[in-house]
Amino acid sequence: MKRSSRARIGATATVSVLSLALITGCGGGSDDDSKESGASSPSTTASTTAKALSAAELKKLLLAKGDLAGYEIDAADESLPKSKSEVKTDKAECTPLAHAMAGLAPGDTDASVSYTLTKSPTATASPDEASLENALNIEITFVGLSSYDGDGAEKAVKAVSDATAACTGGFTIKAQGETQKVTKVASVKASGKGDESVGFSVAADMDGEGTATINTEVVRVGNTVSSYYTINLASLDSGKATPVPTTVIDAQLAKLK
């Protein structure tokens, strides 16, 4: 078995920490993407009198079984942290990035929920290397929703944008008993969805088994913020990012409008 395959099997076994980017990484997207701003321009200003939705109200806005063909949806994924107290960084200015990657609110609010969507390949009967690669070709998207009073949602998106610029040299994440050094942060082109959006990428070495590349996108609709973080277990050590599926973003945003 190839060394890279062993690394991917290890990644499968430790998927619970993937939501925290504890084995993941770096500045994805093309060279052209990295030259563009990660944020789209705000098209709508949130009302200063807007009231945050409760966590219970946010749960009703999550995608549910049957909402998106080809995906399994888990609204009770235990791999996701339940509170910000479970996620620590060595640089306070980088904390919004860690929170967004963990499905937590990147801004100042207690109203947040998270869930995962999994897209698996068609199973094959062959036990060879190609079949193993196919079996690991599992795409997982971690989604977080958070809601804010007043202009809190706009401030949350700005916090992510500011953190991306401030943390280019990396930072350390501690969560779920694991510690991971993020070696690089870069801005990547966002989808332009919602009222405004921002994209960033982080990089970390997978214990000498290659560099994992992860892109995260944060999108605001009114006073609600959604975050999207996607991995593919078969390509974690390839150095290339798995794009956040626009189908997932579109389906989730349709619930928010």
Side-chain angles (χ1 to χ4, degrees), residues 58 61-62 103 111-114 143-147 224-226 252 256:
L58 285 173
L61 299 176
L62 299 179
S112 67
V113 295
S114 58
V143 182
L145 296 184
S146 53
S147 188
T224 300
V225 171
S226 53
Q252 180 60 77
L256 303 181

Side-chain angles (χ1 to χ4, degrees), residues 161-244:
S161 182
D162 289 347
T164 300
C167 301
T168 55
F171 60 99
T172 299
I173 303 173
K174 293 183 179 180
Q176 296 177 317
E178 300 287 344
T179 299
Q180 176 64 56
K181 176 65 177 178
V182 172
T183 59
K184 179 181 178 181
V185 177
S187 175
V188 296
K189 186 177 180 180
S191 67
K193 305 287 185 178
D195 295 328
E196 59 178 321
S197 58
V198 62
F200 68 91
S201 184
V202 299
D205 179 77
M206 291 173 56
D207 295 328
E209 296 284 0
T211 298
T213 301
I214 302 294
N215 286 355
T216 299
E217 177 155 352
V218 176
V219 184
R220 179 179 68 82
V221 173
N223 66 329
T224 300
V225 171
S226 53
S227 61
Y228 308 86
Y229 164 97
T230 300
I231 61 168
N232 187 300
L233 297 180
S235 60
L236 271 176
D237 58 355
S238 69
K240 297 180 180 179
T242 298
V244 177

Side-chain angles (χ1 to χ4, degrees), residues 78-95:
E78 293 301 319
S79 71
L80 290 166
K82 303 307 177 186
S83 70
K84 292 182 178 181
S85 63
E86 298 178 43
V87 181
K88 305 294 185 182
T89 63
D90 65 334
K91 298 178 181 178
E93 62 270 27
C94 304
T95 299

Side-chain angles (χ1 to χ4, degrees), residues 11-204:
T12 305
T14 56
V15 69
S16 65
V17 296
L18 289 172
S19 60
L20 303 173
L22 294 180
I23 63 169
T24 58
C26 151
S30 67
D31 290 342
D32 289 340
D33 283 351
S34 65
K35 293 176 183 177
E36 298 189 47
S37 171
S40 62
S41 299
S43 60
T44 301
T45 301
S47 170
T48 56
T49 60
K51 295 298 181 182
L53 298 175
S54 66
E57 290 172 318
L58 285 173
K59 284 183 178 179
K60 296 178 181 178
L61 299 176
L62 299 179
L63 291 176
K65 183 177 180 179
D67 282 346
L68 194 56
Y71 286 87
E72 294 182 9
I73 297 173
D74 186 355
D77 194 323
E78 293 301 319
S79 71
L80 290 166
K82 303 307 177 186
S83 70
K84 292 182 178 181
S85 63
E86 298 178 43
V87 181
K88 305 294 185 182
T89 63
D90 65 334
K91 298 178 181 178
E93 62 270 27
C94 304
T95 299
L97 305 183
H99 286 164
M101 295 168 69
L104 296 167
D108 185 14
T109 184
D110 293 324
S112 67
V113 295
S114 58
Y115 68 112
T116 58
L117 299 93
T118 303
K119 187 174 184 179
S120 300
T122 302
T124 63
S126 173
D128 60 15
E129 181 76 14
S131 178
L132 175 60
E133 295 294 321
N134 186 62
L136 290 174
N137 186 25
I138 300 171
E139 178 187 283
I140 306 172
T141 300
F142 302 88
V143 182
L145 296 184
S146 53
S147 188
Y148 304 78
D149 289 328
D151 61 354
E154 289 178 312
K155 290 178 178 178
V157 175
K158 185 177 185 300
V160 172
S161 182
D162 289 347
T164 300
C167 301
T168 55
F171 60 99
T172 299
I173 303 173
K174 293 183 179 180
Q176 296 177 317
E178 300 287 344
T179 299
Q180 176 64 56
K181 176 65 177 178
V182 172
T183 59
K184 179 181 178 181
V185 177
S187 175
V188 296
K189 186 177 180 180
S191 67
K193 305 287 185 178
D195 295 328
E196 59 178 321
S197 58
V198 62
F200 68 91
S201 184
V202 299

